Amino acid sequence: MALFDSFGRKINYLRLSVTDRCNLRCIYCMPAEGVRKLRHQDILSYEELLLLAETAVGIGIEKIRVTGGEPLVRNGILDFLGDLSKIPQLRQIVLTTNGMLLPEMVEGLKKAGVQRLNISLDSLRPETFARITRCGDLGRVLAGIRKAEEVGVPIKLNMVVMRGMNDDEVMDFAGLTLFKPYTVRFIEYMPAVKDSNWRSLVVPGEEIIRRIESAYRVQPLDREDYLSGPSRNYRIYGAVGAIGIITPISSHFCNECNRIRVTSSGMARGCLFDNREYDLKMVVRTGGRIALEEALREIVARKPGKSCISGETSAREPLYMSKIGG
Ligand code: SAM
Ligand code: SF4
């Protein structure tokens, strides 16, 4: 069964946040003091998340990305992922993580059926990494990446590029793909935490690829498959890995958008930049499967055609990515 929105886009991808909590405090994602934690009763239980996932798959979702906050800090996450991977017709389960808990958890993730890891890594320099994450330990993340490679889980590295902060490392990250089988994805910084100066931090995707092309011969690649996200992909000639450029600011990818998002408290969004949220929690808790199916169809039907991130308006409302899941 296929699910289409009112603009004829096929919607087959659900980003499911399982927690608002995190063991880091990245400067582009949350304030130093963190964000106010949701109450335990406001967070969907694993049974509720599973019902939501099963219902979404029943109407056409084929790929689920588990995200957060930091998904690996929620107790019982491995069992939940194992249950998720038993849903018939769910073609892909992937997980986004900051990597801090990977050394001890990556084997369990593989056993639970996670098919790929997106690991956020914004710097290969310990001081810069610590400045961006405020409390991260680069050594642990790198150890987690090595372990994931050993265990055989495919890896994408997500680097949020910020001018004057870590953009001088673009070439180092691109160079990693020469001998590592990762896809390194360069993501334009988005104005998440309220920041009136946000535009000065954005390094446009075009500039990133031009810089890489100034040192390497680069070939464009086709999209990976119909479940893949909005990344423009490239390979340096002879490289083992690939490069992806994600441009939410300089070039919207709205007409290819195939996703909906649900937060750990059951708030659903048709678009990251559309502040209208639909409360699925009560539907999950009291409405049963048919009502949930109808609610999900409604969210898809009301998905905006175009992102409303533009000019300075986007800086008006802080977007807490740790709640929405990125
Ligand atoms: N904690 C996990 C992690 O960091 O990978 C998962 C949640 S995090 C909110 C998901 C993704 O959103 C990360 O790759 C992060 O880099 C990205 N993200 C968060 N804030 C962002 C921002 N302001 N601009 C661009 N990407 C952002
Ligand atoms: Fe935590 Fe991920 Fe946000 Fe960093 S980007 S603070 S790791 S949720």
Side-chain angles (χ1 to χ4, degrees):
M1 185 187 296
L3 184 61
F4 290 92
D5 71 3
S6 56
F7 299 90
R9 295 171 298 191
K10 186 174 179 186
I11 308 303
N12 53 14
Y13 175 18
L14 168 65
R15 294 180 69 102
L16 188 59
S17 172
V18 296
T19 180
D20 61 324
R21 307 205 173 182
C22 189
N23 46 0
L24 298 183
R25 293 283 178 275
C26 303
I27 49 173
Y28 51 66
C29 180
M30 47 166 107
E33 65 280 12
V35 289
R36 194 144 59 91
K37 289 183 183 133
L38 291 168
R39 297 176 308 170
H40 180 70
Q41 62 267 36
D42 292 330
I43 300 276
L44 296 183
S45 67
Y46 282 134
E47 291 71 26
E48 290 163 346
L49 286 167
L50 206 57
L51 172 64
L52 208 154
E54 281 166 355
T55 310
V57 172
I59 62 170
I61 293 295
E62 297 172 87
K63 167 179 175 180
I64 296 183
R65 171 175 307 285
V66 175
T67 177
E70 172 49 40
L72 300 188
V73 301
R74 182 159 176 184
N75 284 334
I77 186 71
L78 294 179
D79 288 342
F80 170 67
L81 291 165
D83 290 340
L84 212 52
S85 69
K86 289 185 199 122
I87 299 177
Q89 286 131 27
L90 178 55
R91 295 200 41 218
Q92 243 187 56
I93 302 178
V94 293
L95 180 127
T96 302
T97 173
N98 61 32
M100 289 284 287
L101 295 173
L102 274 185
E104 52 270 52
M105 293 182 77
V106 73
E107 272 179 299
L109 291 170
K110 165 102 177 172
K111 278 197 197 115
V114 172
Q115 286 149 291
R116 196 184 60 236
L117 291 171
N118 283 38
I119 304 171
S120 302
L121 180 64
D122 301 319
S123 176
L124 297 166
R125 299 178 187 150
E127 322 76 63
T128 310
F129 182 83
R131 194 169 341 123
I132 294 173
T133 58
R134 292 200 180 99
C135 49
D137 176 350
L138 178 61
R140 280 195 69 77
V141 180
L142 296 179
I145 292 171
R146 279 195 300 273
K147 192 83 187 274
E149 253 188 279
E150 270 166 44
V151 172
V153 189
I155 296 171
K156 289 189 179 178
L157 295 183
N158 286 353
M159 179 201 195
V160 177
V161 184
M162 291 166 283
R163 200 179 295 283
M165 186 78 72
N166 63 350
D167 66 315
D168 56 341
E169 292 187 62
V170 163
M171 300 309 285
D172 296 342
F173 273 86
L176 273 182
T177 67
L178 289 173
F179 51 92
K180 289 288 185 186
Y182 318 142
T183 298
V184 172
R185 304 185 336 151
F186 298 100
I187 305 174
E188 288 175 350
Y189 166 77
M190 291 180 273
V193 175
K194 203 170 169 70
D195 174 8
S196 55
N197 201 29
W198 65 274
R199 280 202 179 273
S200 65
L201 287 175
V202 178
V203 182
E206 273 309 314
E207 180 180 333
I208 295 172
I209 197 65
R210 252 189 286 114
R211 284 199 210 174
I212 298 170
E213 281 171 339
S214 71
Y216 299 108
R217 223 152 56 86
V218 170
Q219 65 180 134
L221 298 178
D222 290 336
R223 277 168 71 95
E224 290 158 338
D225 67 52
Y226 75 104
L227 287 172
S228 64
S231 167
R232 277 184 291 133
N233 297 322
Y234 303 85
R235 190 186 304 283
I236 297 175
Y237 276 90
V240 188
I243 287 169
I245 310 272
I246 302 183
T247 54
I249 301 296
S250 66
S251 159
H252 301 315
F253 29 72
C254 304
N255 47 12
E256 292 160 40
C257 186
N258 61 347
R259 61 192 60 189
I260 54 172
R261 296 173 158 80
V262 179
T263 71
S264 56
S265 58
M267 302 306 287
R269 278 187 184 227
C271 170
L272 180 59
F273 300 110
D274 180 1
N275 289 329
R276 285 176 303 165
E277 288 190 325
Y278 303 84
D279 191 351
L280 290 179
K281 186 165 65 227
M282 287 318 287
V283 189
V284 172
R285 290 190 174 164
T286 57
R289 198 177 284 255
I290 301 288
L292 187 53
E293 199 178 297
E294 274 169 18
L296 285 166
R297 285 188 192 282
E298 165 118 14
I299 289 153
V300 169
R302 293 211 200 162
K303 198 171 149 57
K306 209 168 175 321
S307 135
C308 50
I309 186 164
S310 65
E312 301 313 312
T313 55
S314 47
R316 202 179 48 207
E317 293 237 359
L319 244 188
Y320 288 118
M321 298 291 215
S322 57
K323 283 205 172 122
I324 304 169

